[in-house]
Amino acid sequence: MTTSAPADDPFDLAAAAAARLAEVTGVERHDVALVLGSGWAASADTLGELVAEVPGTDLPGFSAPAVVGHRGTAKSLRVERDGSGPLHALVLPRTHFYEGRGVRAVAHGVRTAAAAGCRTVVLTNGCGGLDPTVGPGSPVLISDHLNLTGASPLEGATFVDMTDLYSARLRGVAREVDPDLPEGVYAQFRGPQYETPAEVRMAGVLGADLVGMSTALEAVAARHAGLEVLGFSLVTNLAAGVSDEPLSHEEVLEAGREAAPRCARLLAGVLPRL
């Protein structure tokens, strides 16, 4: 069961979740939040000292994960930095749009991060790749996105500039850690079905290099909440039509497991610099 809290205003719900996080972790304010997708989740165990871990269902507004391989816990980490005080990092569970809980539930994690004091969010995902030279197991910096879900986390006349949504400054930090990181545009589809070859071709014509079912809606909500956004995709498979191989969730999970050490090293290098 999800912990009850005021549901009329999504920001009240986020504030309630942040207050509960502060209570159970003993950390009044966190600095940076991470949402770890397929291939990235294991990184949380290596990024810093675990201060506290709490099931997402114990926090107002969060639900149990709907998919095998997705973690449903929140973690508070203490990350040591050279020459400055420690960084308090918050790892939050993700709700996907295809779970049918509505776009407010999708945005709840990043809104909770902002209410918890975070100024930066790192959004990660596993995705299909359109470039055959960037094969499975390759992390990619997200430079921009296409929101092909037909939805927005913003309600009413809420106008937010998206020009530099995926922070150029933070992408520069990531390149300091790995100068060879490729960069690309991510397209979010609604899911849960994988994209057809025709949809992948369409996304490519529109400018996408990566396709998946998360991140874009969260990034919009994060910008609206005042967070600076850094995005990473992990290519877990070549998208439909780029490869002749059929797509499966098991393939995504296996590619994520194999790439996990590389993803962990990348985040471990980036996080203390944020």
Side-chain angles (χ1 to χ4, degrees):
M1 295 290 291
T2 302
T3 304
S4 62
D8 291 339
D9 188 311
F11 297 98
D12 287 346
L13 190 62
R20 178 62 177 156
L21 275 167
E23 178 184 353
V24 298
T25 64
V27 178
E28 184 177 352
R29 294 181 65 84
H30 286 81
D31 303 300
V32 57
L34 301 99
V35 180
L36 301 178
S38 299
W40 302 91
S43 302
D45 299 328
T46 65
L47 295 177
E49 175 190 354
L50 179 63
V51 175
E53 182 172 5
V54 58
T57 50
D58 288 353
L59 302 173
F62 288 94
S63 302
V67 179
V68 173
H70 293 169
R71 297 190 179 186
T73 60
K75 294 184 178 184
S76 177
L77 305 175
R78 179 186 172 96
V79 181
E80 298 298 335
R81 296 183 291 182
D82 294 335
S84 59
L87 186 81
H88 294 287
L90 182 61
V91 180
L92 288 168
R94 163 177 277 154
T95 297
H96 290 80
F97 194 38
Y98 59 69
E99 294 177 36
R101 297 185 173 113
V103 73
R104 284 187 174 186
V106 174
H108 182 59
V110 295
R111 287 171 174 160
T112 297
C118 296
R119 58 183 183 276
T120 304
V121 64
V122 181
L123 300 174
T124 70
N125 61 62
C127 73
L130 275 67
D131 184 348
T133 68
V134 181
S138 301
V140 180
L141 269 172
I142 301 176
S143 60
D144 206 343
H145 78 226
L146 296 168
N147 176 10
L148 303 181
T149 68
S152 172
L154 307 183
E155 302 177 23
T158 305
F159 306 112
V160 182
D161 181 22
M162 296 288 147
T163 303
D164 186 28
L165 175 55
Y166 296 91
S167 167
R169 183 187 74 83
L170 294 182
R171 282 185 278 139
V173 170
R175 288 195 201 91
E176 291 174 4
V177 175
D178 186 346
D180 297 323
L181 272 175
E183 188 170 289
V185 175
Y186 176 88
Q188 180 180 352
F189 285 80
R190 292 178 69 102
Q193 72 280 353
Y194 290 109
E195 305 78 22
T196 68
E199 289 169 337
V200 170
R201 290 195 299 272
M202 175 193 73
V205 169
L206 293 174
D209 306 288
L210 313 157
V211 292
M213 306 175 195
S214 68
T215 304
L217 293 173
E218 293 164 317
V220 172
R223 166 54 67 88
H224 176 234
L227 298 173
E228 192 173 14
V229 178
L230 176 62
F232 292 107
S233 286
L234 172 66
V235 177
T236 55
N237 56 274
L238 293 177
V242 179
S243 166
D244 294 332
E245 296 296 320
L247 304 181
S248 71
H249 185 58
E250 290 73 20
E251 176 192 18
V252 171
L253 294 177
E254 178 59 28
R257 283 191 291 267
E258 292 181 0
R262 184 178 181 186
C263 294
R265 288 193 299 271
L266 176 59
L267 290 180
V270 169
L271 194 55
R273 300 168 185 246
L274 298 180

